[in-house]
Amino acid sequence: MPAVSLLPLFGSPSGPGASGGSLGAGPLGSIGGRKVSGLSGGFRLTEKFVLLLVFSAFITLCFGAIFFLPDSTKLLSGVFFHSATLQQQQQQQPAPPAQWDQREHVAGGGSSSSYGADATGAAAENLAKIREDHERALREAKETLQKLPEEISRDIHQDKDKFLLQDKLGRKEPGEAGLPDLPFRKPIGAVGEEPADPLIRQRRGKIKEMMKHAWDNYKRYAWGLNELKPVSKQGHSSNLFGNIQGATIVDALDTLYIMELKDDFKEAKEWVENNLDFNVNAEVSVFEVNIRFVGGLLSAYYLSGEEIFRKKAVELGEKLLPAFNTPTGIPWALLNIKSGIGRNWPWASGGSSILAEFGTLHLEFIHLSHVSGNPVFAEKVMNIRKVLNRLEKPQGLYPNYLNPSSGQWGQHHVSVGGLGDSFYEYLLKAWLMSDKTDEEGKQMYYDAVQSIETHLIRKSSTGLTYIAEWKGGLLEHKMGHLTCFAGGMFVLGADGAPPDKTGHHIELGAEIARTCHESYDRTGMKLGPEAFRFDGGVEAIATRQNEKYYILRPEVIETYMYMWRFTHDPKYRQWGWEAVEALEENCRVDGGYSGIRDVYSSHQSHDDVQQSFFLSETLNLSEQNVIASRWQLHMQAGGKAAVLQDRYLYLLFSEDDILPFEHWVFNTEAHPLPVLTTEDRGKKTKNE
């Protein structure tokens, strides 16, 4: 760069003693109409020193950018354009009138001194910026040299994905255009036949009435908000969804469709079309928004064929992608969906991501790639597997915490309940959803189950099978309500187990179902506690006050439903009906259904929370909870629990032709997603 181009940054201070010159109008050497004194002579010693520093820093920066940075052209272009822009701005600075200039000079040259000080300040500021860029470049070069080749390649792909997404969002609204043609295929078993048995038909009708009671009260008191408080009869919005509203509506869409509540479904669809807005400046839980909103919208699309659900699902999926911008590609737990800035829960083992959260994105993101034609969603979740497969597992187990920056495990705490649960569920269901072609997912699941059975599954003195928690090699003989989903998982995966293990997996599922039923049966209200223990002579009973509450959880009903489908043992329907009677007696209030503070108490104490998963899971079909991060939802939210409870119970008392397992898998929020056959994947490739 010619030296003259830097002169505007280093104009000599004028005034007395400054080479005998003054700032005045002149044809040569002017800056915005002002003559710079001293140009005809040499630079002063301090100016030469500053100029030398600028040149040295600039040359060092260029050298580092060319030889060390993987994306040096981006940095160099930024430096060049920065300098050029600075020149252009100074050259375009308007000249003050000559008359004004003369008056100021007569007054004592204050204007000249001020201008010289401004120029020197600008030079110092520019030098500081160059030094900062230089130091950052050296840091990035050092970090890059320490990375493995595959990590560098992944970073390049992530930058490319981000650029393409930003370009796409800059040209159009997310999800509003560019979606491939995807002919709607009539869903198999979206609506089943009426049960032949009159008693079962009557009981299914009762569950439908429970759904209407919960839904109608949500519409009356909390329409458009996330949840309902059924005792105080008012709405509530959990901060896990930021400013996104309508969690209960989105969670209930597929339940309304399956139960053939057509008017309610139409009303919910119109709300989504007109009011569901993701353009909010708010921090959300990536996990919660994915399983509830993305999963609910995808399910509604596959059942009804309504394009608005596909567009909204893709739009939201695109907004979640920046969560994966970490050194390893393991996503952040929390994301500001406007700024794209992510972070993890502050309590999570040194800033770690949580296994049940980043491990419960696979089903939805594979389907997002299918319905959008964009492979980036599938690539993100497949990369999670690559990271996990490179790590050594203690005793073959997956700890609940993984640092997204270092790619190393955090605290060695293993649980099939809160913090870990749905990760294992999604390994199995990823294989099933791929039409049993995802051999990697299958292998990871069965290897994990083998380690769980070896190190975590135990029998009590009276023969109750339970799944303990593993903390640094020591077992805690406690089983959470969340862990009760595992009975259904074991029986669902029995068919893919080695031939000599199939019967064993079914038996294991049945034993877990029995243990969880006992946890219900041993309470005064016949509803299960949040956690129960097997120590000190106690079996399947909660011994701590903070474990005695019931928040309309669906995991036990979920396991009953799977066990019924695979064995047709009538006891599972009977156990399910016992749960219905307990819900009606203890949880039903005028404004909906509320959780209970103490299931062992002789009198009811409602928590005034109707979880949306009650509608989407318990009454129809598993909401997997992460203990600390979701207690806010459990103790404040309302509305959603009713949806999930309804769906599982409805399926339990329906014929097997509704949502048959060979054609559908359920995400962890009980939203049905279709199996992607080889034909489906072939059509997608052709469309792309």
Side-chain angles (χ1 to χ4, degrees), residues 545-574:
Q545 190 60 40
N546 64 356
E547 296 173 346
K548 295 180 179 181
Y549 62 90
Y550 172 70
I551 55 170
L552 308 176
R553 286 199 183 279
E555 289 77 22
V556 174
I557 305 298
E558 175 188 6
T559 281
Y560 294 167
M561 187 274 296
Y562 278 109
M563 291 304 304
W564 163 256
R565 280 282 183 102
F566 282 98
T567 69
H568 281 193
D569 187 329
K571 73 181 178 185
Y572 296 113
R573 278 183 165 173
Q574 182 56 38

Short mmCIF file of all heavy atoms in Angstrom, two decimals, residues 545-574:
data_model
loop_
_atom_site.label_atom_id
_atom_site.label_comp_id
_atom_site.label_asym_id
_atom_site.label_seq_id
_atom_site.Cartn_x
_atom_site.Cartn_y
_atom_site.Cartn_z
N GLN A 545 -39.92 -36.04 50.74
CA GLN A 545 -41.09 -35.23 50.45
C GLN A 545 -41.06 -34.65 49.04
O GLN A 545 -42.09 -34.54 48.37
CB GLN A 545 -41.23 -34.11 51.48
CG GLN A 545 -42.55 -33.35 51.42
CD GLN A 545 -43.75 -34.27 51.67
OE1 GLN A 545 -43.69 -35.15 52.53
NE2 GLN A 545 -44.82 -34.07 50.90
N ASN A 546 -39.87 -34.27 48.58
CA ASN A 546 -39.77 -33.67 47.25
C ASN A 546 -39.85 -34.70 46.12
O ASN A 546 -39.63 -34.35 44.96
CB ASN A 546 -38.49 -32.85 47.11
CG ASN A 546 -37.23 -33.70 47.22
OD1 ASN A 546 -37.31 -34.91 47.46
ND2 ASN A 546 -36.08 -33.07 47.05
N GLU A 547 -40.17 -35.95 46.44
CA GLU A 547 -40.35 -36.98 45.42
C GLU A 547 -41.77 -37.54 45.43
O GLU A 547 -42.08 -38.46 44.68
CB GLU A 547 -39.36 -38.13 45.66
CG GLU A 547 -37.91 -37.74 45.52
CD GLU A 547 -36.95 -38.85 45.92
OE1 GLU A 547 -37.40 -39.83 46.56
OE2 GLU A 547 -35.76 -38.72 45.60
N LYS A 548 -42.66 -36.97 46.24
CA LYS A 548 -43.99 -37.54 46.41
C LYS A 548 -45.06 -36.92 45.51
O LYS A 548 -46.21 -37.31 45.57
CB LYS A 548 -44.43 -37.40 47.87
CG LYS A 548 -43.57 -38.22 48.84
CD LYS A 548 -44.04 -38.07 50.29
CE LYS A 548 -43.19 -38.92 51.23
NZ LYS A 548 -43.64 -38.80 52.65
N TYR A 549 -44.68 -35.97 44.67
CA TYR A 549 -45.67 -35.29 43.84
C TYR A 549 -45.93 -36.05 42.54
O TYR A 549 -45.11 -36.86 42.09
CB TYR A 549 -45.23 -33.85 43.55
CG TYR A 549 -43.94 -33.73 42.77
CD1 TYR A 549 -43.92 -33.70 41.38
CD2 TYR A 549 -42.72 -33.60 43.44
CE1 TYR A 549 -42.75 -33.57 40.68
CE2 TYR A 549 -41.54 -33.47 42.75
CZ TYR A 549 -41.55 -33.46 41.36
OH TYR A 549 -40.37 -33.33 40.66
N TYR A 550 -47.08 -35.75 41.94
CA TYR A 550 -47.47 -36.36 40.65
C TYR A 550 -47.92 -35.23 39.73
O TYR A 550 -48.83 -34.46 40.07
CB TYR A 550 -48.62 -37.35 40.85
CG TYR A 550 -49.20 -37.88 39.56
CD1 TYR A 550 -48.48 -38.75 38.74
CD2 TYR A 550 -50.48 -37.50 39.14
CE1 TYR A 550 -49.01 -39.23 37.55
CE2 TYR A 550 -51.02 -37.97 37.95
CZ TYR A 550 -50.27 -38.83 37.16
OH TYR A 550 -50.81 -39.30 35.98
N ILE A 551 -47.29 -35.12 38.57
CA ILE A 551 -47.60 -34.00 37.67
C ILE A 551 -48.18 -34.51 36.33
O ILE A 551 -47.84 -34.01 35.27
CB ILE A 551 -46.37 -33.12 37.44
CG1 ILE A 551 -45.19 -33.96 36.93
CG2 ILE A 551 -45.98 -32.39 38.71
CD1 ILE A 551 -44.02 -33.11 36.48
N LEU A 552 -49.07 -35.51 36.44
CA LEU A 552 -49.79 -36.02 35.26
C LEU A 552 -48.85 -36.67 34.25
O LEU A 552 -49.10 -36.64 33.05
CB LEU A 552 -50.59 -34.89 34.59
CG LEU A 552 -51.51 -34.08 35.49
CD1 LEU A 552 -52.16 -32.93 34.70
CD2 LEU A 552 -52.59 -34.96 36.10
N ARG A 553 -47.78 -37.26 34.75
CA ARG A 553 -46.79 -37.87 33.84
C ARG A 553 -47.38 -39.06 33.09
O ARG A 553 -48.18 -39.83 33.64
CB ARG A 553 -45.57 -38.30 34.63
CG ARG A 553 -44.69 -37.15 35.07
CD ARG A 553 -43.30 -37.69 35.41
NE ARG A 553 -42.43 -36.65 35.90
CZ ARG A 553 -41.79 -35.80 35.13
NH1 ARG A 553 -41.97 -35.85 33.82
NH2 ARG A 553 -40.98 -34.89 35.64
N PRO A 554 -46.92 -39.29 31.85
CA PRO A 554 -47.50 -40.35 31.02
C PRO A 554 -46.67 -41.62 30.90
O PRO A 554 -47.08 -42.57 30.25
CB PRO A 554 -47.55 -39.67 29.65
CG PRO A 554 -46.31 -38.82 29.64
CD PRO A 554 -46.13 -38.34 31.06
N GLU A 555 -45.45 -41.69 31.49
CA GLU A 555 -44.54 -42.79 31.18
C GLU A 555 -45.09 -44.18 31.53
O GLU A 555 -44.87 -45.16 30.81
CB GLU A 555 -43.19 -42.58 31.88
CG GLU A 555 -42.36 -41.46 31.31
CD GLU A 555 -42.85 -40.09 31.76
OE1 GLU A 555 -43.55 -40.01 32.79
OE2 GLU A 555 -42.53 -39.11 31.07
N VAL A 556 -45.81 -44.28 32.66
CA VAL A 556 -46.36 -45.58 33.04
C VAL A 556 -47.46 -46.00 32.07
O VAL A 556 -47.52 -47.16 31.63
CB VAL A 556 -46.89 -45.52 34.49
CG1 VAL A 556 -47.60 -46.82 34.86
CG2 VAL A 556 -45.73 -45.26 35.47
N ILE A 557 -48.35 -45.06 31.72
CA ILE A 557 -49.39 -45.36 30.74
C ILE A 557 -48.77 -45.73 29.40
O ILE A 557 -49.26 -46.62 28.69
CB ILE A 557 -50.33 -44.14 30.56
CG1 ILE A 557 -50.90 -43.70 31.91
CG2 ILE A 557 -51.45 -44.47 29.58
CD1 ILE A 557 -51.74 -44.73 32.59
N GLU A 558 -47.69 -45.08 29.05
CA GLU A 558 -46.98 -45.39 27.80
C GLU A 558 -46.53 -46.84 27.77
O GLU A 558 -46.73 -47.56 26.78
CB GLU A 558 -45.78 -44.46 27.66
CG GLU A 558 -44.89 -44.75 26.46
CD GLU A 558 -43.61 -43.94 26.49
OE1 GLU A 558 -43.36 -43.24 27.49
OE2 GLU A 558 -42.85 -44.01 25.50
N THR A 559 -45.93 -47.29 28.86
CA THR A 559 -45.47 -48.67 28.92
C THR A 559 -46.64 -49.65 28.87
O THR A 559 -46.58 -50.70 28.19
CB THR A 559 -44.63 -48.90 30.19
OG1 THR A 559 -43.31 -48.37 29.96
CG2 THR A 559 -44.50 -50.37 30.53
N TYR A 560 -47.76 -49.32 29.56
CA TYR A 560 -48.95 -50.18 29.47
C TYR A 560 -49.39 -50.31 28.02
O TYR A 560 -49.77 -51.40 27.56
CB TYR A 560 -50.10 -49.59 30.29
CG TYR A 560 -49.91 -49.54 31.78
CD1 TYR A 560 -50.78 -48.78 32.57
CD2 TYR A 560 -48.91 -50.27 32.41
CE1 TYR A 560 -50.63 -48.72 33.95
CE2 TYR A 560 -48.76 -50.21 33.79
CZ TYR A 560 -49.62 -49.44 34.56
OH TYR A 560 -49.48 -49.38 35.92
N MET A 561 -49.39 -49.20 27.28
CA MET A 561 -49.86 -49.22 25.90
C MET A 561 -48.98 -50.12 25.02
O MET A 561 -49.48 -50.95 24.25
CB MET A 561 -49.89 -47.80 25.34
CG MET A 561 -50.53 -47.66 23.96
SD MET A 561 -49.39 -47.95 22.57
CE MET A 561 -48.24 -46.61 22.79
N TYR A 562 -47.65 -49.99 25.17
CA TYR A 562 -46.75 -50.83 24.37
C TYR A 562 -46.89 -52.31 24.76
O TYR A 562 -46.90 -53.19 23.89
CB TYR A 562 -45.30 -50.37 24.55
CG TYR A 562 -44.93 -49.19 23.68
CD1 TYR A 562 -44.71 -47.93 24.24
CD2 TYR A 562 -44.78 -49.34 22.30
CE1 TYR A 562 -44.35 -46.85 23.45
CE2 TYR A 562 -44.43 -48.26 21.51
CZ TYR A 562 -44.22 -47.02 22.09
OH TYR A 562 -43.87 -45.94 21.29
N MET A 563 -46.99 -52.58 26.06
CA MET A 563 -47.12 -53.96 26.50
C MET A 563 -48.42 -54.57 25.98
O MET A 563 -48.45 -55.76 25.59
CB MET A 563 -47.07 -54.04 28.03
CG MET A 563 -45.71 -53.71 28.65
SD MET A 563 -44.33 -54.71 28.03
CE MET A 563 -44.89 -56.37 28.37
N TRP A 564 -49.51 -53.81 25.96
CA TRP A 564 -50.77 -54.31 25.42
C TRP A 564 -50.62 -54.63 23.93
O TRP A 564 -51.05 -55.69 23.48
CB TRP A 564 -51.90 -53.31 25.63
CG TRP A 564 -53.08 -53.60 24.74
CD1 TRP A 564 -53.45 -52.94 23.61
CD2 TRP A 564 -54.00 -54.69 24.87
NE1 TRP A 564 -54.55 -53.52 23.03
CE2 TRP A 564 -54.91 -54.61 23.79
CE3 TRP A 564 -54.16 -55.71 25.81
CZ2 TRP A 564 -55.95 -55.50 23.62
CZ3 TRP A 564 -55.20 -56.62 25.63
CH2 TRP A 564 -56.09 -56.51 24.54
N ARG A 565 -50.02 -53.74 23.19
CA ARG A 565 -49.91 -53.94 21.74
C ARG A 565 -49.12 -55.20 21.42
O ARG A 565 -49.43 -55.90 20.45
CB ARG A 565 -49.22 -52.73 21.09
CG ARG A 565 -50.14 -51.52 20.86
CD ARG A 565 -51.03 -51.72 19.64
NE ARG A 565 -51.86 -50.55 19.38
CZ ARG A 565 -51.61 -49.66 18.44
NH1 ARG A 565 -50.53 -49.76 17.68
NH2 ARG A 565 -52.43 -48.64 18.25
N PHE A 566 -48.09 -55.50 22.20
CA PHE A 566 -47.23 -56.63 21.86
C PHE A 566 -47.64 -57.94 22.52
O PHE A 566 -47.28 -59.02 22.04
CB PHE A 566 -45.77 -56.32 22.23
CG PHE A 566 -45.09 -55.42 21.25
CD1 PHE A 566 -44.98 -54.06 21.48
CD2 PHE A 566 -44.57 -55.93 20.05
CE1 PHE A 566 -44.36 -53.22 20.57
CE2 PHE A 566 -43.95 -55.10 19.13
CZ PHE A 566 -43.85 -53.73 19.38
N THR A 567 -48.40 -57.89 23.61
CA THR A 567 -48.76 -59.13 24.31
C THR A 567 -50.26 -59.38 24.36
O THR A 567 -50.68 -60.53 24.52
CB THR A 567 -48.24 -59.11 25.76
OG1 THR A 567 -48.96 -58.13 26.50
CG2 THR A 567 -46.75 -58.78 25.79
N HIS A 568 -51.08 -58.32 24.26
CA HIS A 568 -52.53 -58.40 24.41
C HIS A 568 -52.94 -59.03 25.74
O HIS A 568 -54.00 -59.66 25.86
CB HIS A 568 -53.17 -59.14 23.25
CG HIS A 568 -53.31 -58.28 22.02
ND1 HIS A 568 -54.07 -58.64 20.94
CD2 HIS A 568 -52.77 -57.06 21.70
CE1 HIS A 568 -54.00 -57.70 20.00
NE2 HIS A 568 -53.21 -56.73 20.46
N ASP A 569 -52.09 -58.86 26.74
CA ASP A 569 -52.42 -59.31 28.08
C ASP A 569 -53.43 -58.30 28.66
O ASP A 569 -53.12 -57.11 28.79
CB ASP A 569 -51.16 -59.36 28.95
CG ASP A 569 -51.41 -59.99 30.32
OD1 ASP A 569 -52.53 -59.86 30.84
OD2 ASP A 569 -50.47 -60.59 30.87
N PRO A 570 -54.65 -58.72 29.03
CA PRO A 570 -55.69 -57.79 29.48
C PRO A 570 -55.34 -57.01 30.74
O PRO A 570 -55.96 -55.99 31.03
CB PRO A 570 -56.91 -58.69 29.70
CG PRO A 570 -56.37 -60.06 29.85
CD PRO A 570 -55.14 -60.12 29.01
N LYS A 571 -54.35 -57.46 31.50
CA LYS A 571 -54.02 -56.75 32.74
C LYS A 571 -53.52 -55.34 32.46
O LYS A 571 -53.71 -54.43 33.29
CB LYS A 571 -53.00 -57.53 33.56
CG LYS A 571 -51.58 -57.52 33.01
CD LYS A 571 -50.66 -58.35 33.90
CE LYS A 571 -49.25 -58.40 33.33
NZ LYS A 571 -48.37 -59.30 34.12
N TYR A 572 -52.93 -55.12 31.28
CA TYR A 572 -52.41 -53.79 30.99
C TYR A 572 -53.55 -52.79 30.75
O TYR A 572 -53.46 -51.63 31.15
CB TYR A 572 -51.45 -53.85 29.81
CG TYR A 572 -50.23 -54.69 30.11
CD1 TYR A 572 -50.00 -55.90 29.45
CD2 TYR A 572 -49.33 -54.29 31.10
CE1 TYR A 572 -48.90 -56.68 29.76
CE2 TYR A 572 -48.23 -55.07 31.42
CZ TYR A 572 -48.02 -56.26 30.75
OH TYR A 572 -46.94 -57.04 31.08
N ARG A 573 -54.61 -53.26 30.12
CA ARG A 573 -55.79 -52.40 29.99
C ARG A 573 -56.44 -52.16 31.34
O ARG A 573 -56.92 -51.06 31.62
CB ARG A 573 -56.79 -53.01 29.01
CG ARG A 573 -56.45 -52.72 27.55
CD ARG A 573 -57.49 -53.28 26.61
NE ARG A 573 -57.36 -52.71 25.26
CZ ARG A 573 -58.06 -53.13 24.21
NH1 ARG A 573 -58.93 -54.11 24.33
NH2 ARG A 573 -57.88 -52.54 23.03
N GLN A 574 -56.44 -53.17 32.18
CA GLN A 574 -57.01 -53.01 33.51
C GLN A 574 -56.20 -52.01 34.34
O GLN A 574 -56.77 -51.14 35.01
CB GLN A 574 -57.09 -54.36 34.23
CG GLN A 574 -57.71 -54.32 35.60
CD GLN A 574 -59.12 -53.72 35.61
OE1 GLN A 574 -59.91 -53.94 34.69
NE2 GLN A 574 -59.42 -52.93 36.65
#
